[in-house]
Amino acid sequence: MHVLIIDDNTLHLKMCRILLEKINHTVVTEESLDSLKKHTDDMPEPDIALVDFRLQPGVTGVDVLQFLKQNTKWTNTKYIALTADVGERSYLDGSGFDDVVSNLSQKACCRIY
Amino acid sequence: MSKAYEKLRDEINECFYQIVGIINEIIEHRTNTFSAMLEVGESIQKDSENFVGETEKVVGNISLNINTKIDSLNMEQMRSELQEATKTFLSITEDLELLSYNTICRTMALGEKGSTITHISKEIKKYSTTVKTLLDDITKEFSAVYEKFRYIAENIIKSDISGNSGMLAMDAMEELVISSDVSVLIENSQFHDIFSQELEIINDALNTNEFSDAYEAGMIFGVYEKALNKLDFIKMSLQEKIESIQSVMKDFIYTFNTDLQNIISKTNILREELLRVESISGTICKTIRNLQSSIDESQNVIHKATAGVNNLGKQSKTFKNLVVVTAIEVARINDEDLRSVVISMISTEKELQGLIEKLHFNISLWQKLQNDFMSTFKDAGIELKTICDSSIKSEREKMLRSTYDLEAQLTDFRSVFTGEKYMNYFDSNTRRLLELFSEFVDNTNEEFETFNNKLDDKILSDEMFTQGRNDSELRDILASEDEQSSIEFF
């Protein structure tokens, strides 16, 4: 499975990469919307895109979702929002993501896949 | 004040305590449970780094020593020496066979005169067969020695201990930045004190509605007016304070969740690093043990080859004796043709001697090489104890278990500490608090209304009433909150 993760927390990115690669998934990580914009043309369509809600100041996971939906021809990708903010969940529920996951841990990773 | 009014005040206070309780519970989680888990996480990281560092150092040493030996092991030279020896074996066996047939043919032609030499020629034939078998065996034994060393050399290269050693290094772990700051919650944990005190002041001030003259009535009237104005201000301040605390709590829970997430991430990364190191260490230990046993076996092969060459040495003495006996007999019967046979025998005997010396030399070189390997792998074995021993394995397993335990603790903690639960609880309590507060204001208004109805026009128009109204006082805490707050923050 191809997994794309966009998160500004490098520790979290590293953990996800290690855990997912261990179970033979292909992982691409991006730390910001800007770097994602530079690389989307060369990216294969992921099966799942995990998008952190709080990115750099002024950029949210919803901006990432909109960018990907408008600028790629990805039709089968499932978009999952990640958040540690209790107040964001209800907002994210109606924002176009296929699912919202809070508190991503190893168990959550395994649940997703 | 009515009983209902006091009950309302108590309910408000109870609500304050509930909210403060929520804040304190979060503070408790952050300062005790979380800090303890953080400490365990740091200790796991320190132990893992020490362990991985030590393993890397040991494997690096072993790999350096073994690689030095491999560099000095010239397999190509061993192979060409073996080929050369085999070629010499073939040439000697052919010479001996030829000699024996040559001698037999020549002695048969001599008839009775050559009866002794005929017997010698049969001995040469017998010797030729023995040496041929012996040389075949030595060829096999030397090939076995060569194969053993080739196997050792190839397996050291294939196992790539130095490559594995490079993989043992732990990735530099990013510094864990704990962003949740509990002081901001502590700062807000006593927010209710001022509001409770204000209510108490209003409660005390409005304690009586009884008056004996217009001045007293004016005082009570004035206090009501001031209290109602004050209540509006308190309500507004309370709303602002609650919104501010709500925002602080939301931020705190977000950063706290991020901190928890980071500890989980770090624990998972450490565990994977430990598993990787465990797997590499296991492979290295197995490889070294296999090589050690191959090197032990190589000693047996060298022993066999040495025994073969020693046997050949003994046989060469027999051949030397045959050469001497043949030379004497040839001199006795004085046969010119047989003299050339003796010359050939002397030449073959010399070649055989040269070969035996060369073989002994080769064996001594191989024995030296074997001793070198034995010593290197003996040292490696001693060093490997620090990574292959079962006690170390159990220490490594203990570290791994700690990472699983910590993750389980963090997961359990997360099920207890859910931001949503606290925010919902906080929201419902603050909603209730504001409702109660509004009720308190309404009640005060009603009480004032009731009191006001008791006042007739005569009292209201009395100058003393106005005087009392103007003289009325209500102590103010909120207006000078900064000066009066007794709580020292960070």
Side-chain angles (χ1 to χ4, degrees):
Chain A
M1 204 182 267
H2 283 274
V3 184
L4 167 66
I5 314 171
I6 302 118
D7 195 334
D8 59 345
N9 183 335
T10 51
L11 200 61
H12 189 212
L13 281 182
K14 190 173 174 182
M15 177 197 76
C16 285
R17 178 185 283 284
I18 290 174
L19 294 178
L20 294 173
E21 285 183 345
K22 196 179 172 188
I23 46 174
N24 300 320
H25 294 303
T26 309
V27 180
V28 175
T29 58
E30 295 294 346
E31 287 179 29
S32 66
L33 177 58
D34 287 342
S35 91
L36 176 72
K37 282 177 180 171
K38 286 179 198 158
H39 301 127
T40 37
D41 288 347
D42 310 322
M43 256 181 221
E45 178 174 357
D47 298 291
I48 291 179
L50 297 171
V51 186
D52 184 33
F53 179 71
R54 282 201 200 184
L55 293 164
Q56 306 94 317
V59 181
T60 70
V62 177
D63 299 318
V64 172
L65 179 70
Q66 279 169 0
F67 168 78
L68 290 174
K69 287 199 167 173
Q70 285 163 15
N71 296 281
T72 65
K73 290 177 180 164
W74 300 346
T75 50
N76 296 315
T77 305
K78 296 280 176 205
Y79 295 95
I80 295 169
L82 309 174
T83 180
D85 189 326
V86 290
E88 283 157 3
R89 203 187 160 98
S90 54
Y91 168 68
L92 281 166
D93 279 340
S95 61
F97 281 99
D98 295 295
D99 200 356
V100 179
V101 172
S102 45
N103 306 335
L104 193 68
S105 63
Q106 187 169 15
K107 277 187 182 168
C109 262
C110 295
R111 208 185 78 214
I112 291 169
Y113 309 105
Chain B
M1 285 298 236
S2 69
K3 285 222 182 291
Y5 195 91
E6 283 183 6
K7 189 172 170 270
L8 197 56
R9 187 201 58 190
D10 291 345
E11 274 188 84
I12 288 175
N13 279 331
E14 179 58 30
C15 219
F16 274 137
Y17 296 138
Q18 292 290 336
I19 294 167
V20 170
I22 295 167
I23 298 174
N24 284 336
E25 204 176 312
I26 297 173
I27 293 171
E28 173 91 4
H29 279 315
R30 171 63 184 79
T31 48
N32 295 341
T33 323
F34 177 76
S35 296
M37 286 188 289
L38 190 64
E39 213 172 288
V40 173
E42 279 168 357
S43 148
I44 292 174
Q45 181 174 359
K46 204 174 144 206
D47 288 351
S48 308
E49 280 171 353
N50 282 346
F51 172 75
V52 175
E54 191 56 33
T55 308
E56 189 193 1
K57 204 172 110 192
V58 168
V59 175
N61 280 344
I62 294 170
S63 136
L64 183 73
N65 288 341
I66 292 175
N67 283 348
T68 312
K69 289 286 168 293
I70 284 293
D71 285 346
S72 64
L73 181 65
N74 192 338
M75 292 310 295
E76 193 48 44
Q77 193 188 334
M78 271 180 89
R79 198 170 62 87
S80 70
E81 278 170 1
L82 186 65
Q83 279 171 345
E84 198 191 313
T86 312
K87 227 156 70 184
T88 316
F89 291 161
L90 284 174
S91 141
I92 289 172
T93 49
E94 274 171 16
D95 282 357
L96 284 170
E97 276 203 329
L98 206 63
L99 262 175
S100 64
Y101 288 126
N102 208 359
T103 320
I104 288 166
C105 292
R106 187 64 205 143
T107 49
M108 279 175 79
L110 288 171
E112 190 56 31
K113 193 181 164 192
S115 61
T116 311
I117 204 86
T118 304
H119 177 72
I120 294 170
S121 70
K122 280 179 188 164
E123 284 301 310
I124 293 172
K125 176 73 184 83
K126 225 159 69 184
Y127 179 77
S128 159
T129 311
T130 309
V131 167
K132 189 174 184 296
T133 313
L134 203 53
L135 287 178
D136 277 349
D137 288 348
I138 291 174
T139 308
K140 280 178 199 151
E141 279 145 15
F142 270 52
S143 291
V145 175
Y146 170 78
E147 283 304 320
K148 200 43 104 181
F149 279 107
R150 196 175 61 87
Y151 172 85
I152 293 166
E154 278 182 5
N155 276 278
I156 289 173
I157 294 162
K158 206 164 74 187
S159 67
D160 193 14
I161 295 169
S162 56
N164 279 333
S165 148
M167 281 169 66
L168 281 172
M170 228 168 155
D171 273 4
M173 191 71 84
E174 278 130 86
E175 191 70 28
L176 192 62
V177 180
I178 299 299
S179 39
S180 53
D181 180 6
V182 82
S183 65
V184 73
L185 280 183
I186 296 172
E187 199 175 320
N188 282 291
S189 67
Q190 299 300 318
F191 79 100
H192 66 295
D193 274 359
I194 289 164
F195 294 100
S196 290
Q197 284 175 46
E198 286 287 6
L199 284 184
E200 209 52 53
I201 288 165
I202 291 169
N203 190 39
D204 288 346
L206 301 178
N207 204 21
T208 176
N209 281 352
E210 301 300 318
F211 57 91
S212 53
D213 55 31
Y215 182 80
E216 279 182 13
M219 285 278 279
I220 295 169
F221 190 91
V223 167
Y224 264 117
E225 279 181 322
K226 288 184 173 65
L228 282 166
N229 284 336
K230 188 71 187 294
L231 279 172
D232 283 341
F233 177 69
I234 294 172
K235 192 180 172 189
M236 200 179 67
S237 301
L238 184 62
Q239 259 171 335
E240 280 172 9
K241 190 70 191 170
I242 282 169
E243 277 165 22
S244 139
I245 294 175
Q246 198 170 29
S247 160
V248 162
M249 272 185 58
K250 212 174 147 203
D251 279 350
F252 179 83
I253 288 170
Y254 175 81
T255 51
F256 194 20
N257 270 331
T258 306
D259 289 342
L260 284 170
Q261 178 62 63
N262 285 341
I263 295 180
I264 286 184
S265 298
K266 204 165 183 176
T267 309
N268 274 300
I269 294 169
L270 279 174
R271 180 165 53 239
E272 292 309 315
E273 293 273 301
L274 279 172
L275 286 170
R276 189 172 60 81
V277 169
E278 188 176 38
S279 156
I280 295 171
S281 304
T283 308
I284 291 173
C285 294
K286 201 172 152 195
T287 307
I288 301 279
R289 276 194 208 106
N290 281 345
L291 288 168
Q292 272 175 327
S293 102
S294 284
I295 287 161
D296 285 346
E297 284 165 19
S298 74
Q299 184 60 67
N300 292 338
V301 186
I302 289 176
H303 278 323
K304 270 190 183 173
T306 311
V309 176
N310 286 341
N311 204 1
L312 185 64
K314 278 182 199 159
Q315 290 298 328
S316 80
K317 279 179 192 160
T318 309
F319 187 59
K320 204 172 184 175
N321 291 338
L322 277 174
V323 174
V324 172
V325 173
T326 309
I328 293 167
E329 189 57 20
V330 168
R332 190 183 67 78
I333 58 176
N334 200 19
D335 184 280
E336 269 313 308
D337 287 339
L338 277 172
R339 282 190 206 283
S340 66
V341 173
V342 174
I343 291 164
S344 292
M345 281 178 82
I346 291 168
S347 157
T348 305
E349 198 268 335
K350 269 188 185 164
E351 202 180 353
L352 192 59
Q353 280 306 324
L355 176 69
I356 290 166
E357 274 171 32
K358 179 105 176 89
L359 292 179
H360 273 304
F361 180 69
N362 277 351
I363 284 175
S364 73
L365 285 183
W366 292 354
Q367 186 60 63
K368 190 172 173 294
L369 189 64
Q370 204 272 348
N371 289 345
D372 268 4
F373 268 112
M374 281 287 274
S375 138
T376 304
F377 278 84
K378 193 180 161 197
D379 293 346
I382 294 166
E383 291 208 70
L384 273 176
K385 279 191 176 170
T386 55
I387 58 169
C388 303
D389 259 21
S390 54
S391 62
I392 304 295
K393 200 165 180 284
S394 74
E395 199 182 305
R396 207 158 44 212
E397 277 165 1
K398 202 173 135 198
M399 255 185 267
L400 275 172
R401 255 198 322 274
S402 305
T403 67
Y404 285 113
D405 290 348
L406 179 61
E407 200 189 359
Q409 266 186 53
L410 281 160
T411 310
D412 285 350
F413 181 59
R414 274 192 151 163
S415 65
V416 177
F417 182 84
T418 61
E420 262 164 326
K421 181 185 90 180
Y422 284 106
M423 286 314 290
N424 288 342
Y425 194 42
F426 181 83
D427 287 348
S428 65
N429 271 288
T430 49
R431 242 191 334 269
R432 174 78 185 133
L433 177 66
L434 292 172
E435 280 166 16
L436 288 168
F437 210 86
S438 295
E439 219 177 303
F440 189 91
V441 175
D442 291 346
N443 268 9
T444 313
N445 263 316
E446 278 170 27
E447 295 262 350
F448 182 39
E449 195 64 33
T450 312
F451 175 74
N452 201 16
N453 289 339
K454 284 202 262 178
L455 304 174
D456 54 24
D457 289 346
K458 195 182 159 203
I459 290 177
L460 287 171
S461 57
D462 192 319
E463 274 182 23
M464 288 313 287
F465 177 83
T466 310
Q467 183 66 46
R469 189 179 172 187
N470 291 339
D471 289 348
S472 66
E473 277 183 346
L474 193 64
R475 200 150 61 85
D476 197 352
I477 297 176
L478 271 172
S480 53
E481 185 182 339
D482 292 342
E483 293 85 42
Q484 296 196 30
S485 173
S486 59
I487 304 160
E488 288 292 328
F489 298 121
F490 301 91

